[in-house]
Amino acid sequence: MLRHIIQNYKTLPAPVRASGWFFVCAFIQKGISFITTPIFTRLLSTAEYGEYSVFQSWMGMITIFVSLNLNCGVYTRGMVQFEERRDEFSSSMQGLCLTSVLAWLGIYLLFRGAWNRVFSLTTVQMLTMFLLIWTSSSFGFWSVEQRVKLRYRRLVAVTIFVSLLQPAVGIALVSRARDKATARILGLALVNTAVYSGLFVSQMRRGKRFFIGEFWKHALRFNFPLLPHYLSQSVLSGADRIMIERIAGADKAGIYNLACSVSTIMAMFHTALMQTIEPWLYRKIKEGNTDALSDVAYPAFGAVAGVNLLLIALAPEIITLFAPAEYREAIWIIPPVAMSVYFTFAYTFFAVFEFYFEKTQYIAAATAAGAVLNVVLNLLCIRRFGYGAAGYTTLLCYMLYAVFHYYFMRKLCRTRLEGRRVYSTRILLGITACFMLSGFAVMFTYPNFVLRYALLISGAGVLAAGRKKLQIYLKSLLRPPEA
């Protein structure tokens, strides 16, 4: 059997093998971080864990300005657009990113006292943040290059090595330090610098060009209009922790962050899935074969909904496993956060059209609207209903976020694709409604262990008994939507 599997694997086309390994790579990277969460929740108090989560939230936002997110969409697109000059393009993007990091570092050092008060972080933490931003961006450039060139062996090797080394160094430092939150941050920075700086040197050696005006101008022109979008995404994913820390305390931010961290096991599933699917989506749009998109979208939506529903159902056991009793309240935050993960996955299928046709104003408008609403609702609801309300405000904002991008996608289809209907609104709403209703129904059974597991077993039995009907239903979903 093993020989047969290996033979079948060898007959797969290189892009298919690479996509599979990229999926495994992303899953390993998030999975190891997820598995080590119980260790850090026991080494750090809820307040220390909250301080670390607030640092991560601030870093997510500051990264947008410091690195300009150059290793994201503009770099992936440039690797295809400038295919004949990939090495030069890569080295010049590394050069532009490093220049931006150093410029912002200079601005910070000139007014570090004021910046420290704004972010409630120490100078050591801020300097470490700049180092993490640069090294993470360097890895981002290199990893995209490996994906484009289908060099999965190198990417998998580096990912596994770093994913194992980061928690090992972090545990060693945290267990011996008095300032445990800073020790956790320093552990990440030490590993990133030791490994990722070498990737920066590798790309610079091959490209041999720190500055190429044509590429710098192209990247800045493309990415500057997207900065509000990237910042708004970061606000949507991280502002709630900062606001909880300021309003309710660092310990509550730590409990909330645990719920978000537990949900990352499903977020990493959809992230890994999208890293495999997204290049294919671009190719299909370029080829004009948008009818094929729904064949992948509907099963993908169903799969992501299913795994997030499983997380919601097992939330009490997962929290018990992953943290001491003082984190118990996190179980009630997992359902809305898990549902938010579903909508972050859904939006990608719509926003890819905006990225492809370079309608950055649409992207920025949709994301900014969601972020502003999130901040306003958090200010109103956290004080009135408690820190758990942040989960529901985030869910509402991500729902609106997906709706905005769906509207703009439909608009582009009318103007650029002769009015094609890529997805069926009825089918998308059906999958989403079933997921959310099931999720909230399961949540209300948390106090009753017997009832919850009776529902789980019943659901599994229904799926097993109706698997043939389910297959027929799934095939019907795969038919292209009517015009």
Side-chain angles (χ1 to χ4, degrees):
M1 183 181 294
L2 182 60
R3 189 183 301 112
H4 180 68
I5 293 173
I6 294 172
Q7 288 175 348
N8 287 339
Y9 170 77
K10 289 181 178 179
T11 61
L12 292 174
V16 176
R17 291 202 305 270
S19 295
W21 278 109
F22 293 152
F23 183 93
V24 171
C25 183
F27 203 83
I28 289 172
Q29 187 176 31
K30 297 290 186 181
I32 293 175
S33 174
F34 179 77
I35 291 169
T36 57
T37 297
I39 300 174
F40 288 108
T41 55
R42 286 166 172 81
L43 287 175
L44 283 75
S45 66
T46 54
E48 290 167 336
Y49 195 67
E51 183 183 346
Y52 171 66
S53 70
V54 168
F55 170 86
Q56 289 182 308
S57 297
W58 277 125
M59 186 171 73
M61 298 179 199
I62 294 171
T63 295
I64 310 303
F65 299 100
V66 174
S67 73
L68 304 176
N69 263 26
L70 293 168
N71 62 310
C72 295
V74 67
Y75 183 66
T76 305
R77 190 173 180 275
M79 291 293 283
V80 177
Q81 185 174 351
F82 306 113
E83 186 174 359
E84 303 301 321
R85 303 175 63 190
R86 280 178 178 171
D87 289 342
E88 291 182 352
F89 179 71
S90 296
S91 64
S92 68
M93 289 299 97
Q94 290 275 18
L96 177 56
C97 182
L98 179 58
T99 300
S100 180
V101 171
L102 292 175
W104 279 104
L105 176 61
I107 294 171
Y108 165 73
L109 291 174
L110 287 174
F111 310 101
R112 65 179 181 274
W115 290 120
N116 290 349
R117 287 191 294 273
V118 169
F119 301 121
S120 297
L121 298 173
T122 66
T123 299
V124 172
Q125 291 173 337
M126 287 297 298
L127 292 175
T128 306
M129 182 186 294
F130 278 96
L131 189 58
L132 281 168
I133 291 171
W134 172 64
T135 53
S136 298
S137 298
S138 296
F139 173 72
F141 288 121
W142 181 83
S143 64
V144 169
E145 181 186 43
Q146 303 311 298
R147 293 177 188 279
V148 171
K149 294 181 178 180
L150 303 179
R151 294 176 178 172
Y152 54 87
R153 291 184 180 87
R154 297 179 183 179
L155 181 56
V156 170
V158 171
T159 299
I160 293 176
F161 178 70
V162 172
S163 297
L164 289 172
L165 194 59
Q166 281 181 339
V169 173
I171 291 168
L173 292 177
V174 169
S175 60
R176 291 169 172 80
R178 290 185 178 180
D179 186 351
K180 296 184 182 297
T182 300
R184 178 75 177 103
I185 297 164
L186 287 172
L188 296 176
L190 287 173
V191 175
N192 281 19
T193 304
V195 180
Y196 295 160
S197 58
L199 305 179
F200 170 84
V201 172
S202 173
Q203 284 196 313
M204 293 302 297
R205 280 181 175 174
R206 282 185 281 109
K208 299 180 174 64
R209 300 288 298 276
F210 188 91
F211 169 77
I212 298 178
E214 172 193 357
F215 292 152
W216 281 33
K217 183 179 179 180
H218 167 80
L220 294 174
R221 187 172 61 243
F222 185 92
N223 256 36
F224 265 130
L226 283 172
L227 291 183
H229 163 70
Y230 290 132
L231 178 61
S232 299
Q233 275 192 320
S234 184
V235 169
L236 271 171
S237 63
D240 43 12
R241 296 166 182 80
I242 296 171
M243 297 177 74
I244 289 171
E245 189 264 344
R246 297 290 173 90
I247 297 172
D251 57 332
K252 300 301 184 184
I255 295 171
Y256 184 87
N257 186 63
L258 177 64
C260 296
S261 297
V262 167
S263 299
T264 59
I265 191 171
M266 299 314 167
M268 71 184 181
F269 176 82
H270 90 67
T271 299
L273 192 59
M274 279 314 306
Q275 286 177 341
T276 303
I277 293 174
E278 194 170 5
W280 179 85
L281 294 175
Y282 279 110
R283 286 198 300 271
K284 292 303 175 184
I285 296 173
K286 184 177 181 180
E287 294 167 3
N289 186 18
T290 53
D291 290 341
L293 269 59
S294 60
D295 294 354
V296 172
Y298 300 148
F301 276 48
V304 171
V307 294
N308 278 284
L309 185 59
L310 182 63
L311 170 67
I312 293 170
L314 298 176
E317 288 73 27
I318 293 173
I319 292 298
T320 300
L321 175 66
F322 272 71
E326 54 263 35
Y327 288 89
R328 181 68 180 176
E329 293 176 5
I331 64 171
W332 301 102
I333 302 168
I334 286 180
V337 173
M339 293 177 192
S340 300
V341 168
Y342 169 83
F343 285 101
T344 61
F345 174 80
Y347 116 87
T348 312
F349 279 87
F350 315 142
V352 68
F353 288 84
E354 298 160 74
F355 278 105
Y356 181 82
F357 291 112
E358 299 186 31
K359 291 296 182 179
T360 53
Q361 69 273 25
Y362 291 171
I363 300 168
T367 318
V372 171
L373 181 62
N374 182 252
V375 171
V376 173
L377 288 177
N378 279 335
L379 282 172
L380 295 174
C381 296
I382 293 175
R383 293 184 187 278
R384 185 175 178 83
F385 302 107
Y387 74 99
Y392 293 91
T393 60
T394 299
L395 171 59
L396 175 61
C397 292
Y398 272 120
M399 290 172 66
L400 294 174
Y401 179 53
V403 169
F404 288 149
H405 283 290
Y406 185 74
Y407 168 78
F408 288 131
M409 179 205 70
R410 292 288 297 270
K411 186 175 181 178
L412 284 171
C413 287
R414 287 194 297 270
T415 58
R416 297 295 187 93
L417 297 173
E418 301 175 351
R420 295 181 192 175
R421 286 194 63 185
V422 180
Y423 309 115
S424 166
T425 305
R426 176 180 58 83
I427 293 175
L428 293 180
L429 287 176
I431 296 171
T432 302
C434 287
F435 165 58
M436 294 188 68
L437 289 172
S438 300
F440 283 122
V442 170
M443 183 185 74
F444 287 119
T445 67
Y446 282 172
N448 192 321
F449 174 88
V450 175
L451 178 59
R452 181 159 51 87
Y453 269 82
L455 287 176
L456 278 172
I457 294 170
S458 299
V462 170
L463 288 176
R467 60 185 181 276
K468 291 184 179 179
K469 291 184 179 180
L470 181 62
Q471 289 172 357
I472 295 172
Y473 177 68
L474 288 174
K475 288 180 181 178
S476 71
L477 289 181
L478 294 179
R479 293 184 192 130
E482 296 179 4

